[in-house]
């Protein structure tokens, strides 16, 4: 079973001059754009902070994830720079438009430096894009990463 939703999108028009190949301005024309955009799935690690030294082999990692009205189905964390992924515990969101807070009780095998990454899966099953992209023109992508030092 599926439902198809059709939305009317408000379109704004902008008058833009177009330079010609000889450098002179041609007659201005209109281009269309909208205020609507798809919210990209994002997640981040808030605790511990990047560069932190953590005492002990057991600690809690916490953060948030968001995917607009699609919601968050799953958050996964890696403590070995993306080699292996483990599901974090999701707290229920306070509304369909709220961030999802997550936590993960982490146990590392030995003291040392660890690179942690986080990724989220939205409510439709689409995994957060791992390719880094700047915010322009249509929103940043990539996985949040921190490095911590674990001491005993």
């Amino acid at each position: 079973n599926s439902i198809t939703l059709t939305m009317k999108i408000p379109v704004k028009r902008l008058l833009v001059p177009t330079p010609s190949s000889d450098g002179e301005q041609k007659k201005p024309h209109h281009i269309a754009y909208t205020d609507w955009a798809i919210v990209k799935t994002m997640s981040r690690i808030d605790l511990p902070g990047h560069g932190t030294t953590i005492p002990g082999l057991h600690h809690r990692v916490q953060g948030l994830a968001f995917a607009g009205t699609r919601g968050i189905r799953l958050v996964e964390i890696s403590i070995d720079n993306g080699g292996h992924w483990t599901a974090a515990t999701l707290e229920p969101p306070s509304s369909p438009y709220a961030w999802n807070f997550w936590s993960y009780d982490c146990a590392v095998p030995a003291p040392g430096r660890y690179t942690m990454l986080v990724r989220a899966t939205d409510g439709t099953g689409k995994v957060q894009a791992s390719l880094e992209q700047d915010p322009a023109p249509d929103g940043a992508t990539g996985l949040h990463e921190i490095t911590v030092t674990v001491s005993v």
Side-chain angles (χ1 to χ4, degrees):
N1 294 336
S2 65
I3 298 173
T4 303
L5 297 176
T6 304
M7 297 173 55
K8 292 183 179 180
I9 299 175
V11 175
K12 296 181 180 180
R13 302 237 176 244
L14 181 65
L15 197 59
V16 178
T18 307
S20 65
S21 58
D22 61 5
E24 292 196 26
Q25 297 291 325
K26 289 183 180 178
K27 181 179 175 184
H29 69 281
H30 287 90
I31 60 170
Y33 69 95
T34 71
D35 288 333
W36 294 76
I38 295 173
V39 174
K40 293 190 177 180
T41 302
M42 64 77 63
S43 58
R44 73 178 193 212
I45 300 169
D46 291 322
L47 293 171
H50 177 68
T52 302
T53 298
I54 303 167
L57 301 178
H58 299 274
H59 54 278
R60 176 165 280 203
V61 180
Q62 296 174 298
L64 60 87
F66 186 68
T69 57
R70 297 182 314 280
I72 296 293
R73 177 184 295 180
L74 174 69
V75 171
E76 297 169 289
I77 188 157
S78 171
I79 61 170
D80 60 1
N81 199 26
H84 299 89
W85 293 92
T86 305
T89 301
L90 280 174
E91 292 182 24
S94 58
S95 85
Y97 308 103
W99 292 334
N100 283 87
F101 293 97
W102 59 266
S103 63
Y104 175 69
D105 291 321
C106 180
V108 295
R113 286 177 59 89
Y114 291 88
T115 299
M116 298 182 180
L117 292 103
V118 63
R119 69 181 179 194
T121 302
D122 72 15
T124 69
K126 186 174 179 184
V127 178
Q128 177 179 347
S130 60
L131 179 67
E132 285 190 28
Q133 175 182 306
D134 289 333
D138 66 347
T141 60
L143 303 182
H144 187 224
E145 167 184 315
I146 66 167
T147 301
V148 296
T149 302
V150 175
S151 65
V152 200

